[in-house]
Amino acid sequence: WITQVGGPGDDSLAAITGAQATVVAVGETAGLADAPSMGGSDLLVASIETSGEIGSVVSTGSAADDLASGVTSDEATTAGGSTTGDLGAASGGSSDAWCATVGPDGALAPATQLGGPDAETATGVGTSPGVGHAYVSGTLSGLRPGAQDPSGRGLRNGDALMMQVGPDGRPVWARQFGTGGEDGA
C-alpha cells in the first residue's frame, strides 16, 4: 500500500517507526486543511494502520518553525526534533532540541524543550526493545550544562550530542562530544 498525508502546502516526513499495529511517521507541515499553520512550519505526526488505513494526522507547533526529525517506539512512542519558537518552554537560543511522547491518537504530549543559549537540534531518536527509555542524537553549537566532555578537546565549535530520555520525554543524562572542528550526530 501507499498512503499520502499532508495539507495543501509543503509537507515532509523525516522518520517512521512501528508502534504495535500502527506505523507512526513524523516530519513538518505548512498546515493541514483543518488545522492551519500555527506559524512557520509545524510538527506533523501521522498514525497509519499496518493495513494502510490512516488512523490520524495531527499538526502542532509554536509561532515559529518546528520540525520532527526522529521517532521511536518501545513502551512509549517518543519523537524529537528542533524548534525556533516556544514549543515546550521559552526559547533558549536560535534553535532548541525538543522531545515528547506521542499518544495513540497521534497527539504530542507537552514537549520538553532542551534549549540553551546556543543552537541545539535533535537529529534522531532510537531505542532497544524493553528498555523503557529512548536515546536522542543531535548537534549543538555551545556547551550544554551537564553534557560537557571533560577531555577538553575544543568543544563548542559544533559538537555531537547524545541524550537518554525517560518515557516522559525528559532527559535522564546528556553527553557532548567534539573536536576543535565541526562535529555532529
Side-chain angles (χ1 to χ4, degrees):
W1 50 262
I2 297 173
T3 300
Q4 184 173 339
V5 298
D10 292 334
D11 307 295
S12 67
L13 294 174
I16 63 169
T17 189
Q20 298 176 8
T22 61
V23 175
V24 177
V26 299
E28 66 181 310
T29 181
L32 302 175
D34 61 346
S37 173
M38 299 180 82
S41 61
D42 289 340
L43 305 173
L44 176 63
V45 180
S47 296
I48 303 160
E49 304 298 320
T50 54
S51 64
E53 241 180 275
I54 297 173
S56 64
V57 179
V58 178
S59 69
T60 188
S62 69
D65 289 320
D66 308 298
L67 166 68
S69 54
V71 64
T72 190
S73 187
D74 187 23
E75 293 175 14
T77 301
T78 304
S82 62
T83 180
T84 58
D86 300 340
L87 187 61
S91 178
S94 59
S95 70
D96 294 335
W98 64 268
C99 292
T101 57
V102 179
D105 60 354
L108 286 176
T112 300
Q113 194 162 329
L114 308 170
D118 300 300
E120 302 88 20
T121 302
T123 56
V125 183
T127 191
S128 295
V131 296
H133 52 261
Y135 295 97
V136 178
S137 63
T139 61
L140 69 160
S141 62
L143 292 173
R144 176 157 169 73
Q148 291 91 351
D149 181 355
S151 67
R153 293 180 285 202
L155 298 179
R156 191 174 231 167
N157 295 323
D159 296 323
L161 175 66
M162 180 71 186
M163 295 182 288
Q164 181 187 60
V165 295
D168 60 357
R170 297 194 183 283
V172 176
W173 54 257
R175 300 293 180 266
Q176 182 172 350
F177 307 93
T179 63
E182 184 115 359
D183 305 295

